[in-house]
Amino acid sequence: MKKVFKFSVVSIAVSFFAAHQASAANTWTEARSDAMGGTGVAAGSYGSGVLINPALLAKAKPDDGITVILPSIGAQISDKDNLRDKIDDVSDDINRYRSSLDDINLFDLFNPTSSGYKQVSSAAGDLASQLESLKGKTASGKAGGGIAVSIPNDTLSVAFVAKANARARVSSYIDQGDIDMLRAVEKTPATILGVDPDNLKSKGFGRAAIVSDYGVALARQFDISGVPVSVGITPKLQKTWLYNYTVSIYNFNSDDINSSRYRNDDTGFNVDAGLAADFSENWTVGLTGQNLFSRDIDTKEVDGVRDTYQISPVVTAGVAWHTSLVTLTADGDLTETKGFKSEENSQYVGVGAEVTPLSWLAVRAGYRADVKNNDSNVFTAGVGFAPFNTVHVDLMGLYGEDETWGAGAQLSVAF
């Protein structure tokens, strides 16, 4: 199951860039909460809330039975500059440039009217323009998935959980010397006699991380001065795969990012924990901590370049007001979400709403923002279907700044 789960997430992630900034903004993917602005710390349901806040596992109603999620998946991409295709297209430009050099003779290099002179000049200029268009550009992708089997009990509720999140980022380092050299060749092709085209220094980078968790969640509800308080904890085995794709930009191919040549892995132990309290029939507050043990994992060194992926505690507080018809919820991170040290951190807040006009239909919407302004702010929406209150199908989508798109789906069955 571990291998199947890992590679199902890898396939989602690699289809964008190899795995950016997971799931949604969080370390979980849960279609209902993702449709409501990525919220759910206080508003998550019993059956799927264990993916978000293990304390919600203890909030099962008397008629709730075993619930199985098979699976919850989601993905997001941000690429306003179409960077992935542009970097891949550089190889076409460099091949055209090299071909023009192979085809030219010494006489043509000094003859501005010759076709060879014009071909070299044009190819050098096009390649220089392509490099200039890549300066400062990045693209990112996220993906996530989860499965869970939740078993309610008055004494101690238990759930078996497997989840993964993946993130990737593609960027480039453009050496101004490359551009200057190519502009000189564009102006005077004979300049190439003193230049080795294989010495161009610009590089393409692909960073990706896949973190998968396999754990057992335990939760129980207590009565504290008349307030029902649920407490949950998820000890888990944590497996991490890191990808450090660092190559000359002239040889960059995004399909190679997941090659074992650039990959290393690490296995460790971690813990999620959470609280949820019902202060009245309609108000719930929650607090969850994901990955309470910090871990820094180095990538494989490639071409003299190494990065470090940071797994650190992410603490999120939430509040929800709910009736049988409407749920309003808000979540906010109390800590930053870290990733590769070469990237900027993020810190998210979200608001969401759910309307249930029919017992089998729910309509959801929300908004999520990064208060650090390092990730795209997005609008979210989704629907949920629950025929016979046994099979639950949840769908979500998001759209935001920087041509950010995303979608997710979840299937769960209650017994």
Side-chain angles (χ1 to χ4, degrees), residues 139-156:
S140 61
K142 308 177 188 181
I147 61 177
V149 179
S150 301
I151 306 171
N153 187 280
D154 292 338
T155 303
L156 188 68

Side-chain angles (χ1 to χ4, degrees), residues 70-372:
L70 286 173
S72 179
I73 58 174
Q76 175 180 321
I77 180 174
S78 298
D79 188 13
K80 68 175 180 177
D81 301 305
N82 198 24
L83 179 63
R84 178 186 176 182
D85 291 339
K86 281 186 177 181
I87 293 184
D88 284 341
D89 288 345
V90 167
S91 61
D92 296 333
D93 290 320
I94 191 66
N95 288 336
R96 176 171 168 251
Y97 176 61
R98 285 172 173 158
S99 294
S100 71
L101 297 181
D102 293 337
D103 295 340
I104 198 171
N105 58 50
L106 189 61
F107 173 78
D108 286 342
L109 279 175
F110 296 94
N111 182 6
T113 62
S114 69
S115 60
Y117 185 104
K118 294 177 181 177
Q119 288 175 359
V120 171
S121 176
S122 174
D126 289 346
L127 182 55
S129 297
Q130 185 76 275
L131 295 182
E132 287 175 336
S133 73
L134 291 175
K135 269 192 166 184
K137 302 296 191 298
T138 62
S140 61
K142 308 177 188 181
I147 61 177
V149 179
S150 301
I151 306 171
N153 187 280
D154 292 338
T155 303
L156 188 68
S157 296
V158 179
F160 301 93
V161 181
K163 61 180 180 177
N165 66 81
R167 56 191 290 165
R169 184 172 182 265
V170 174
S171 60
S172 61
Y173 162 72
I174 304 302
D175 189 279
Q176 184 60 42
D178 290 357
I179 297 175
D180 293 343
M181 182 274 289
L182 291 166
R183 290 301 184 196
V185 174
E186 178 186 23
K187 183 177 181 181
T188 309
T191 305
I192 196 62
L193 293 174
V195 176
D196 183 352
D198 291 328
N199 289 337
L200 296 171
K201 298 177 181 178
S202 298
K203 292 183 180 293
F205 301 100
R207 298 283 188 274
I210 302 171
V211 181
S212 61
D213 300 333
Y214 312 94
V216 177
L218 306 172
R220 183 174 179 180
Q221 190 172 89
F222 301 89
D223 186 288
I224 301 178
S225 300
V227 177
V229 177
S230 301
V231 180
I233 187 170
T234 307
K236 59 189 183 181
L237 179 71
Q238 193 164 65
K239 180 83 172 182
T240 304
W241 294 265
L242 300 179
Y243 299 81
N244 177 19
Y245 183 59
T246 304
V247 297
S248 167
I249 201 167
Y250 312 104
N251 298 315
F252 190 97
N253 185 339
S254 58
D255 293 334
D256 293 338
I257 292 179
N258 66 327
S259 168
S260 59
R261 177 184 174 187
Y262 309 103
R263 182 183 68 226
N264 66 312
D265 59 77
D266 179 85
T267 302
F269 174 82
N270 223 313
V271 174
D272 298 339
L275 299 169
D278 297 320
F279 285 98
S280 71
E281 183 179 349
N282 304 114
W283 286 96
T284 300
V285 298
L287 181 71
T288 186
Q290 305 279 323
N291 298 322
L292 297 182
F293 298 150
S294 295
R295 300 170 61 215
D296 286 355
I297 308 169
D298 291 333
T299 66
K300 181 179 289 188
E301 183 174 326
V302 178
D303 198 20
V305 177
R306 186 192 300 273
D307 208 338
T308 300
Y309 189 73
Q310 306 165 99
I311 297 176
S312 61
V314 178
V315 180
T316 306
V319 59
W321 179 82
H322 43 84
T323 69
S324 60
L325 177 64
V326 177
T327 296
L328 302 176
T329 182
D331 282 7
D333 288 347
L334 306 182
T335 58
E336 295 180 345
T337 296
K338 298 181 179 180
F340 286 104
K341 283 189 175 180
S342 60
E343 302 174 5
E344 299 294 332
N345 298 335
S346 294
Q347 191 168 352
Y348 300 96
V349 295
V351 293
E354 176 185 66
V355 179
T356 311
L358 301 170
S359 61
W360 54 269
L361 175 66
V363 180
R364 301 158 185 145
Y367 180 75
R368 188 187 76 229
D370 176 13
V371 298
K372 299 291 185 181

Side-chain angles (χ1 to χ4, degrees), residues 40-59:
V41 171
S45 62
Y46 143 73
S48 58
V50 67
L51 296 171
I52 305 169
N53 179 356
L56 298 176
L57 178 63
K59 290 176 63 62

Side-chain angles (χ1 to χ4, degrees), residues 365-413:
Y367 180 75
R368 188 187 76 229
D370 176 13
V371 298
K372 299 291 185 181
N373 294 317
N374 294 319
D375 194 6
S376 302
N377 301 331
V378 297
F379 292 95
T380 64
V383 294
F385 305 95
F388 309 111
N389 201 34
T390 300
V391 177
H392 295 255
V393 178
D394 297 293
L395 305 173
M396 66 79 57
L398 63 83
Y399 175 73
E401 303 169 324
D402 302 329
E403 291 299 317
T404 298
W405 300 83
Q410 181 171 305
L411 172 65
S412 58
V413 181

